[in-house]
Amino acid sequence: MPVIHARPFDFAFDRGTLGLVVIDMQRDFVEPGGFGASLGNDVSLLQAIIPTTRRLIEGFRAAGLPVIHTRECHRPDLSDLPPAKRDRGNPALRIGDPGPMGRILIAGEPGADIIPELAPLPGELVIDKPGKGAFYGTDFGQHLQRLGLRKLVFAGVTTEVCVQTTMREANDRGYDALLATDATESYFPDFKAAAIEMIVAQGGIVGWAAPTDTILEALHD
């Protein structure tokens, strides 16, 4: 069985059960003028992982393995947006407010779209999720079962929020999850570093971690 050399130990996989999950590489989070920037964040940190994430996606496509994309967004009527989420803090813009790229984090608005550099190909699965984790309020789990996936490589943003949340959800459901360490990012570098350590601690209590080059080498051995 092939392996990816990873922390805290090698990640063994069967090609028939391996897929890539790219979390929330959306314009509202990554581009200037979006929701992430409205919170006072430096979006250039997230933009820096675009080339590596694209290379990871292209590597999975070239290997004939599934690529799944997620988007955090809500219904236009906000019926799936709890007040506790919308009203928290004091941002310049709130979810549902008009912004430079349409209404913030609303399905169908330009800002909720995945950035053009990482756009899904026709036929690739896109999961719209109302929460931080991809399993909550979605049919993500059913799609994984339909595709026969049990081993998941994760990329995207942000490491400590939506990426780690989905990895923890996956772990609780019996999936093996590996984080591509240079294809994920946070607005807070210390948070990214801490999240990776949490994931691999105690013998991989949440999952594994490895850089993109190491993952791609294993796919094409």
Side-chain angles (χ1 to χ4, degrees):
M1 182 176 289
V3 299
I4 298 169
H5 299 301
R7 297 177 61 205
F9 53 87
D10 287 350
F11 181 88
F13 67 94
D14 178 335
R15 287 178 176 275
T17 66
L18 183 69
L20 174 64
V21 183
V22 184
I23 302 287
D24 298 359
M25 290 297 289
Q26 298 164 247
R27 297 184 65 200
D28 259 332
F29 295 134
V30 177
E31 293 184 1
F35 185 52
S38 79
L39 297 173
N41 296 309
D42 178 5
V43 297
S44 68
L45 294 169
L46 274 54
Q47 292 172 342
I49 67 165
I50 293 173
T52 305
T53 306
R54 180 169 56 224
R55 191 157 53 85
L56 182 62
I57 291 171
E58 290 172 350
F60 268 75
R61 288 170 177 164
L65 299 174
V67 178
I68 300 170
H69 309 260
T70 75
R71 301 181 294 205
E72 183 178 351
C73 55
H74 295 273
R75 298 171 186 153
D77 65 2
L78 306 184
S79 59
D80 59 351
L81 175 62
K85 181 177 181 181
R86 174 176 162 80
D87 297 341
R88 188 172 302 137
N90 188 31
L93 295 172
R94 295 187 184 277
I95 297 172
D97 287 350
M101 293 180 279
R103 294 177 67 200
I104 298 291
L105 292 186
I106 297 299
E109 296 286 341
D113 283 345
I114 294 166
I115 60 173
E117 298 94 324
L118 305 180
L121 292 181
E124 288 183 345
L125 183 62
V126 180
I127 299 292
D128 285 345
K129 58 185 185 65
K132 303 297 188 290
F135 288 87
Y136 170 71
T138 76
D139 55 2
F140 181 48
Q142 292 94 309
H143 283 293
L144 295 179
Q145 292 178 17
R146 174 180 59 82
L147 293 167
L149 301 182
R150 301 303 305 171
K151 308 274 186 170
L152 305 175
V153 173
F154 282 88
V157 298
T158 60
T159 313
E160 78 280 7
V161 185
C162 295
V163 177
Q164 184 180 200
T165 298
T166 304
M167 291 184 71
R168 288 177 179 273
E169 288 181 329
N171 180 65
D172 283 347
R173 288 162 174 80
Y175 296 92
D176 287 333
L178 181 147
L179 179 64
T181 53
D182 52 354
T184 183
E185 195 50 85
S186 170
Y187 300 120
F188 308 98
D190 288 349
F191 290 4
K192 172 184 173 177
I196 293 171
E197 294 307 311
M198 288 183 221
I199 287 165
V200 303
Q202 300 180 74
I205 193 167
V206 174
W208 289 256
T212 293
D213 283 346
T214 301
I215 296 167
L216 294 179
E217 285 169 9
L219 292 189
H220 298 288
D221 278 348

